[in-house]
Each structure stands twice: as structure tokens, then as C-alpha cells.
Amino acid sequence: MNDTEAAHGGDGTAYDVCVIGLGPTGLVMAHLLALRGVRVLVLEREPDYYGMARAVYTDDECLRILQAAGLADEVHADMVVGLPVQWVRADGRVLAQFHDPSRRNGWPTSNFLYQPDFEATLERRLRERPGVTVRRGRAVLDVGQDGDGAWIRHQQCTGAAYGRREAELVADTMETTRAVYVIAADGGRSTVRTQLGIPMSGKSFPQRWLVIDLHARDGADAFGHLPYFDFVCDPALPTVSCPQPNGRHRFEFMLHDDDDPAQFEAADHVRSLLARHVDPDAVIVDRQLVYTFNALVADRWRAGRIFLAGDAAHMTPQFIGQGMNSGIRDADNLSWKIADVLLRQADPALLETYESERRPHAESMIGVSVLNKDIVSTSRPTAIRARDWGIGATMKVPGLRRVLTEAKIKPRPRFRRDTYFGMPRGPLGAAGTLAPQPAVRGPGGRATRLDDAIGPGWAIVGIGVDPRAVVDAGDWTPVRPRWVSLFPAGSRSRGLPAHGASSGEVIDLEAGDAVLGRWLRRTGIRAGDVVILRPDNYVFGVVRATARRTARLRVGVDVPAAAVAAMREVYPGHQEVPA
């Protein structure tokens, strides 16, 4: 029985995938799966959505993923956009300011959000999407699997108020549901991960922080003097100051070892802390809470047909705002692979690349987050002097200054060699990296974003050429790609006909900005070459026009030589779902 048949087993299974958890990772996962034609059930323990903010930031890469799901424009309209991020001293002097204006993914790199509104929009839109069933107030009791698929036992419950009380189960409401795959996006305390016996490795930090969420009173300009996101490197009281949309703001204050959390959370003390930065009478406190943080990664992200995603797979400290975003990247990576296995007969071994591609990037994000925590919170005089000297020296060297001020210390969207699904990458190659999204113009001259012009799925893009003149279209029939001719800005010769104008078989586009040209020069891609894009916009490979060679892919039969050899060693026959 193949995986598509397993979705329609003799017990009347109606779902291809069951997503457990309705936080940002589960929401985006369900959207992307349904967009690609997969039938999805989402189970969430809590009857109501969480009305308090956790995440405050998203970046250009994740907005591009939300764009693919048809959500970005709506949620982005309610964000604070383009703010610089700063390290500042206790006296307000700026140590360094980060701002990347490149928009290489078609979106600003700095976007601050209010998570309750963000999630509410994603859930409302998910309920409107065909092929998705959302069931709140359903506690997952256990999951399992057999040769035909996976099963999930779940029961109606009153919810645990997101950890504030014990959930109570409602008698006589237990159900068992079957699906081909299960994705556990049920948070850092994942019930599914615990049941599967998958440990997490890393470090739990004892350092405590007080988070205060607040909003301005009606008519008050409470935060106009705090225009940017500030990491206040004050050894006496390390502080984070974060603007949010619609008159909201967040402060975080670090407790020292001898501070009493109860006293720190007391209303009088909260007021005194806020008074260091704002007029306490001009604001209303929504929440104050002392928390610790973790830098942990699950030892494995898959058990047969069951996958971990988001905080269930990795927990990122909050210091670079990448916890939620790492989960959104998981959703983007895993959703298209599951869809291709279910709907395009891709070899299930493709799913093994989910962890091999995502784990190194998630771990790198955790490492940079911990580094930023150390920079902000150090209190040792020698470490403070070393930090300030190092930052000052970096700012005096043009190349290094750009690395710092444009936040290029953030891990790049680039898979490690020999870990990804694609052609081998050379020293300056593009394979296994995220392609940019320039603004483009179609034959009618109307500007749009590249991904919107191409549409979802695989794409084979000729740089200033009809790609079918370079690769054999018949070799790519299994992935049903879109064929694209893409000209760098200003490179189209007058009178050159649009390849797709008459046949409609090729999408003919011209870049409307310099983003594409910079990327082509950096990666050595020339006019006449063909770029093969996976559904997540990562480059599968580049076919050089000069070599006239074809990058061949028959999903489920042939993949790049190194990848197919490795899979056949572990999964002979390519039809078994690995345990």
C-alpha cells in the first residue's frame, strides 16, 4: 500500500496529515499543507487562543513563507516595519545599530508584531481554507503508527489555560483518528515528544528575566521617545525595550541571583522599573511575568510517520527573536516534502532531509541568540571592556562594520554541504541556498513579487533564456514545474519576443530592481544558465548553458548521485517508511 492509499484506509480515514498544536508553527504548517492539496486535521488542546504575546518579531524570510500561504500582506499591514535594532549603553549611547535595507526576499528584515493579533488572523484564515479541519479543545492522549499509517487518540478537554491549571477531560468523548503522517507542533513541553521518549540536548539557563507587556493609555504618546528596538547593555540592570504595533510595548529586565521573583513582579517594583523608561501613569500593564529560557534541541525530529516541529523540536532563547521564526521555517521545509510524497509519488526518503536541512540552521540560530544574551547581560568589568573595545574596533573596519550593522552575523539560509536535497554546491555555488525574490514585471509591465508571478511548486528558471532550450522538459514531468524566463533589470534587448507570450507555456519576466543582478554576480550565474528552484525557493541546482548538461530528477527514482546512494544504503527499495 502506498502513502496515498494509506490516507483512505478501510476505516474511512479522511486526513493525510494531523497537525497537533495551533501555535504559529502549527498554523503555518496547516496553511501550507492545505495550499498544496493535502487534507489536514488540526488538534489543539486549548478551547481558546492564547491572548498574550510571546513572540514579537518576524523577518523577511518568514514573511516570504507567509506570502506563499497568501497571508503576508494582511498580517504585515499590522506590524511596525523597518525599525533599527540597537545595542546601547546604560547612559543611552549607541554601541552599534543594525539595519539591513536590502529587501533581498521582497520584504523588510525588521518587522515587529503583536502575537495575539497575528495568530488570530492566521487562525481565522485557516478556518476559511478548504481541506482543513480545526478542532479546539481536543487533548491528544497518545499517538502510534502501523504499516498503513498513524493514529491519534484524542479527547475533549477544558484546556489547561496554557499551563496555568490542570486540563480536565470530558467523559465519553474519546476518538481515534487516522492519518498518513502526524506533525507534533505542540510546544516546548510537547506531549508527543515525551510519549515518543525523545530527549532534548542543550542547556537550560537559570538566568531569570521579568517581561512586562503594556500599552499606552488613550491619547497618551507613551513611547514616542523610544523609536527603536534597544538592547540596553546595563550591567546593573540589563534591559530589552521592544516597540509593538498599536500603541503597545514590551520591556524585559534581568534579575540578578539575589533578586526575589515575587518582589520583582510586585506592582510597586514594576512601576519603579518602568519609570526608568516611560511615564508609569501614561501606560497600562497587561502582564508581568518572570521566566527562564532554554537552548535545547530534540535528539531526533522524526519517529517513522511522526515529526516534531517548532518548539517541540528546538527551543531558541528570545534574544534575536527567532523562536517562532524557526518553527515557521520548519513548516516551509516539511510541508512541501510531505505534499510531494503524498501527491507526486516522491520517495518517502525525501522526508529524511527535513531534519538534515533544518537542524544545523536551528542550532546556529540558538548559538547566535545565546551570544547576544551574553553581550547584553554581562556584568564583569573585564568582559564589558572587551565587549566595548571589540564592537568599537569592528565599527572602524568597513567590511566588518557592514557585517555587524547589516546583521550579517545572523545565520544565512544556506544548507550545509552533503545534507540537503539538491545538486552538489561548489565554492561559490547557489545550490542549497535560498534564491532572492526581486520585484519583477510581466509582459504587461505590471510590477509584482517574483514568487507571486511564478506561483507555488517547482520552477525552472532560465536567466534571459527559454529554459527548455537548455534542459529537457520531459525529464522534469514528475514534478510538474513552472517554466520561467527571467531577465535581469535592463538586460532585455529591444525587439526580443517574450518566450511565453504566444504559447503560454513559459512565464516571461524582467527584474525590476538590482536584487537579482547582485545575486547572479555573487553566485557566478550567467545569462543563458538555468536555475532549478524547489517549492521552498531553495536552489536545487544550476545548469550551465555552456555545458549543455541536464540536471536530472525523477522523484522516487533518481536524485543526485550522492543523495540516492546514501538513501539506498539505509532504505533499500525506497518504499518503506523508516522507523
Side-chain angles (χ1 to χ4, degrees):
M1 177 179 291
N2 64 34
D3 283 344
T4 303
E5 291 168 343
H8 301 280
D11 59 354
T13 300
Y15 303 107
D16 298 319
V17 176
C18 176
V19 176
I20 301 172
L22 202 57
T25 301
L27 283 163
V28 177
M29 186 79 74
H31 271 288
L32 292 174
L33 287 167
L35 175 75
R36 292 170 171 133
V38 176
R39 288 159 304 178
V40 183
L41 169 67
V42 185
L43 299 176
E44 167 58 49
R45 180 184 63 182
E46 300 299 328
D48 302 302
Y49 84 98
Y50 189 56
M52 293 294 178
R54 288 94 70 210
V56 296
Y57 168 86
T58 194
D59 61 18
D60 55 331
E61 296 170 33
C62 291
L63 279 168
R64 188 176 181 183
I65 295 168
L66 294 170
Q67 175 192 338
L71 303 165
D73 287 312
E74 183 173 356
V75 296
H76 195 245
D78 202 26
M79 295 183 187
V80 178
V81 177
L83 296 186
V85 176
Q86 304 182 138
W87 287 328
V88 299
R89 294 184 174 92
D91 61 7
R93 288 179 297 157
V94 176
L95 279 166
Q97 185 181 89
F98 321 108
H99 180 59
D100 179 5
S102 65
R103 296 178 72 107
R104 69 178 305 275
N105 286 297
W107 296 92
T109 57
S110 176
N111 309 274
F112 295 94
L113 56 90
Y114 183 59
Q115 187 173 350
D117 292 346
F118 175 79
E119 287 191 17
T121 298
L122 265 59
E123 183 170 352
R124 172 178 53 79
R125 292 287 302 277
L126 185 63
R127 292 180 182 275
E128 298 168 356
R129 194 179 287 279
V132 180
T133 300
V134 177
R135 298 187 66 184
R136 278 191 169 275
R138 302 296 301 182
V140 172
L141 307 179
D142 55 12
V143 298
Q145 55 193 310
D146 52 35
D148 292 334
W151 51 262
I152 311 97
R153 282 200 313 129
H154 51 99
Q155 191 166 348
Q156 184 179 343
C157 78
T158 59
Y162 295 90
R164 293 192 295 269
R165 65 176 185 235
E166 287 293 326
E168 296 183 4
L169 299 176
V170 178
D172 301 322
T173 60
M174 188 172 66
E175 299 176 26
T176 299
T177 302
R178 293 188 64 86
V180 182
Y181 295 108
V182 174
I183 301 172
D186 52 342
R189 299 175 182 175
S190 171
T191 299
V192 175
R193 187 190 65 234
T194 300
Q195 182 202 329
L196 294 173
I198 298 176
M200 301 194 85
S201 300
K203 184 175 181 181
S204 295
F205 290 83
Q207 202 171 66
R208 299 162 299 166
W209 287 74
L210 171 68
V211 58
I212 305 173
D213 288 320
L214 60 159
H215 65 274
R217 292 185 181 276
D218 290 344
D221 181 16
F223 310 118
H225 61 294
L226 299 171
Y228 304 144
F229 186 109
D230 294 335
F231 291 106
V232 183
C233 305
D234 180 357
L237 186 63
T239 302
V240 177
S241 171
C242 174
Q244 292 182 284
N246 305 317
R248 297 182 179 276
H249 204 91
R250 169 177 288 183
F251 288 103
E252 298 182 18
F253 301 95
M254 194 187 87
L255 283 71
H256 291 286
D257 291 344
D258 56 353
D259 286 325
D260 178 8
Q263 189 271 335
F264 230 72
E265 287 184 272
D268 289 347
H269 190 67
V270 166
R271 182 180 175 87
S272 70
L273 291 172
L274 293 177
R276 300 165 65 101
H277 302 277
V278 299
D279 176 1
D281 293 324
V283 300
I284 297 174
V285 173
D286 298 314
R287 177 182 68 157
Q288 65 255 29
L289 176 70
V290 172
Y291 69 93
T292 57
F293 56 91
N294 302 298
L296 301 171
V297 181
D299 287 1
R300 54 192 174 102
W301 295 11
R302 180 183 187 184
R305 296 179 181 272
I306 305 168
F307 296 85
L308 305 180
D311 284 358
H314 43 76
M315 286 187 266
T316 306
Q318 75 277 18
F319 294 96
I320 56 171
Q322 287 294 331
M324 179 187 77
N325 296 302
S326 287
I328 291 175
R329 292 185 182 93
D330 291 348
D332 190 40
N333 187 286
L334 183 56
S335 60
W336 76 263
K337 294 174 180 176
I338 285 182
D340 273 15
V341 168
L342 290 172
L343 303 177
R344 298 189 178 183
Q345 291 74 52
D347 193 312
L350 175 64
L351 302 176
E352 287 299 291
T353 63
Y354 163 56
E355 181 176 350
S356 68
E357 291 178 354
R358 283 292 306 130
R359 173 186 283 273
H361 190 268
E363 290 176 337
S364 295
M365 282 294 186
I366 290 172
V368 172
S369 183
V370 172
L371 172 63
N372 193 40
K373 183 270 299 182
D374 292 340
I375 291 171
V376 172
S377 64
T378 187
S379 59
R380 292 182 294 112
T382 54
I384 292 170
R385 287 194 294 270
R387 177 197 67 198
D388 292 356
W389 181 88
I391 293 172
T394 298
M395 295 295 287
K396 294 176 182 177
V397 181
L400 293 178
R401 181 173 65 243
R402 187 179 174 199
V403 169
L404 190 62
T405 58
E406 295 186 12
K408 295 185 182 297
I409 59 173
K410 173 186 169 186
R412 292 182 294 172
R414 178 185 179 94
F415 300 136
R416 288 184 184 173
R417 285 188 174 89
D418 303 322
T419 66
Y420 63 88
F421 179 56
M423 298 170 66
R425 181 173 65 238
L428 297 176
T433 69
L434 182 63
Q437 180 180 213
V440 296
R441 293 186 296 269
R446 187 170 183 176
T448 187
R449 303 183 190 100
L450 176 64
D451 299 354
D452 292 337
I454 294 176
W458 287 81
I460 300 182
V461 182
I463 304 302
V465 67
D466 184 337
R468 298 169 301 177
V470 180
V471 302
D472 184 348
D475 286 336
W476 295 88
T477 301
V479 296
R480 300 194 291 273
R482 286 171 167 80
W483 299 89
V484 182
S485 293
L486 177 60
F487 290 81
S491 69
R492 189 195 296 270
S493 299
R494 186 170 181 224
L496 184 66
H499 299 296
S502 58
S503 69
E505 296 176 355
V506 176
I507 302 169
D508 200 84
L509 303 169
E510 180 180 358
D513 55 33
V515 168
L516 176 66
R518 286 195 296 265
W519 182 71
L520 295 176
R521 289 190 294 273
R522 188 172 67 250
T523 55
I525 298 172
R526 300 180 178 89
D529 291 347
V530 171
V531 180
I532 303 162
L533 297 180
R534 308 184 333 176
D536 56 1
N537 297 306
Y538 277 77
V539 177
F540 178 85
V542 178
V543 180
R544 302 293 180 182
T546 53
R548 303 288 293 181
R549 62 183 177 84
T550 301
R552 302 178 64 86
L553 167 67
R554 291 188 183 136
V555 176
V557 181
D558 296 323
V559 293
V564 72
M567 283 192 287
R568 287 187 175 179
E569 286 180 5
V570 181
Y571 312 114
H574 297 271
Q575 295 302 316
E576 298 296 325
V577 177

